[in-house]
Structure formats: C-alpha cells, structure tokens
Amino acid sequence: MPPFARLRDAIARLLAPMPETIDIEGLGELRRDPDRPNCYTASVAFDGAAVTLVIHDEAISRRGIAAAAPFALEMLEMPDVVQEEAREIAGEQLFSRWLFGSEGDETVSLYDWKRGLALDRIWVMPDGRTMVDFAPGRPFAGHRVTVAGRAPLDFDEAYLSV
C-alpha cells in the first residue's frame, strides 16, 4: 500500500456521511432523526412499554454511537431501577413546585405523584451523560419532567422541558 493510502483512507472514513440507519447489537436499528441530525433514535422495550432511545452527540459519529451504546444497554437492563431513581429525583426537586403552583392538588401524595410519571424517552451521550424524559403534560401542562445525570443511575437534576 502506498505511504499515504492509509492516511487517505482514514480521512475518507472520517469525512464519509453518517448512514441513515445503524445496527447496534442489543439495541437493534437506530435511525437518524430527520429533525435532529445529531441524534439517532430507536423504539426499545422498557419495563413493559415502548420508549424512544435517543443517542445524541454535538458531532454525531460512529465512534460516539459506539461509546454511548453500553450506557444505553446498561440502563435498559434495569428499567425498574432507572425509572424509580429518576422518579425519586423528580419528586425531590419538582413536587413542591407542582403542589404549590397553579396545578397542585393537595389530595395527591408524593408517592402517587411519582407513580403518575410515565417514562417515554431516554437520551444517552457518548460520555455517559443521560436525560430521562417523562411523558409530556403530566403533571405539568405543556411540559415534560426531565431528569438528568450520568448513566445508568446517577441522576442529580430535574427540570421542566418542552
């Protein structure tokens, strides 16, 4: 092989456009999101329901997807624990905001409030950062409850997103 052939081939691989789909063992086929080109998504089974898995990176690459996949797989292997930990942080940081805000209901306990959160989207980044989104509109109209941290269970922040 000529001396610069390896370099040329490596540069060509780096500059090649990302494919529309990528198969990852254990996750199946991830599809490039047409609205967010720095994301690949898949519908995955999670605690008896289908949720959207999003692998996200500012500059999405095959290497980044491969780095994020083990974090996603680890979270998918323990859905009940992930969901419970995310609900705990959401309850600690957002329940009083809901209770004393315009949407609060004093007859709803913290336990019931947390049980009302339905996980519907998991974001994973190559460095292990993660966000768990609960279904929009519950319990805050027009918003999602989002919990962020490090995969698989080190959640440290809850906030409202759209």
Side-chain angles (χ1 to χ4, degrees):
M1 183 177 275
F4 293 106
R6 284 190 197 145
L7 179 60
R8 181 194 65 226
D9 292 346
I11 291 171
R13 281 192 306 275
L14 288 172
L15 298 177
M18 290 293 292
E20 290 302 310
T21 62
I22 294 178
D23 285 316
I24 301 291
E25 188 174 337
L27 297 177
E29 183 179 88
L30 285 92
R31 180 165 297 284
R32 190 161 202 170
D33 188 322
D35 298 322
R36 296 177 299 232
N38 57 345
C39 298
Y40 276 77
T41 64
S43 180
V44 295
F46 190 83
D47 206 22
V51 302
T52 300
L53 172 67
V54 181
I55 293 184
H56 167 80
D57 198 4
E58 292 305 317
I60 197 77
S61 66
R62 288 173 183 82
R63 182 176 287 160
I65 292 170
F71 295 113
L73 287 166
E74 192 172 3
M75 292 178 79
L76 294 175
E77 288 173 0
M78 51 182 155
D80 53 335
V81 179
V82 169
Q83 190 155 240
E84 186 60 32
E85 290 297 315
R87 284 176 172 163
E88 281 297 315
I89 294 297
E92 286 175 16
Q93 296 184 12
L94 296 174
F95 178 70
S96 63
R97 180 175 176 180
W98 172 82
L99 183 62
F100 299 113
S102 61
E103 300 174 49
D105 178 352
E106 293 178 6
T107 65
V108 176
S109 70
L110 173 59
Y111 176 84
D112 290 336
W113 186 89
K114 291 187 296 188
R115 290 287 163 245
L117 296 173
L119 195 145
D120 78 338
R121 195 163 56 185
I122 299 171
W123 297 72
V124 181
M125 281 54 97
D127 64 359
R129 288 177 296 131
T130 188
M131 295 179 297
V132 173
D133 286 333
F134 292 98
R138 294 177 16 201
F140 294 92
H143 294 88
R144 290 179 179 274
V145 169
T146 297
V147 176
R150 298 204 55 83
L153 299 173
D154 190 15
F155 301 113
D156 60 5
E157 179 183 18
Y159 53 91
L160 301 181
S161 60
V162 289

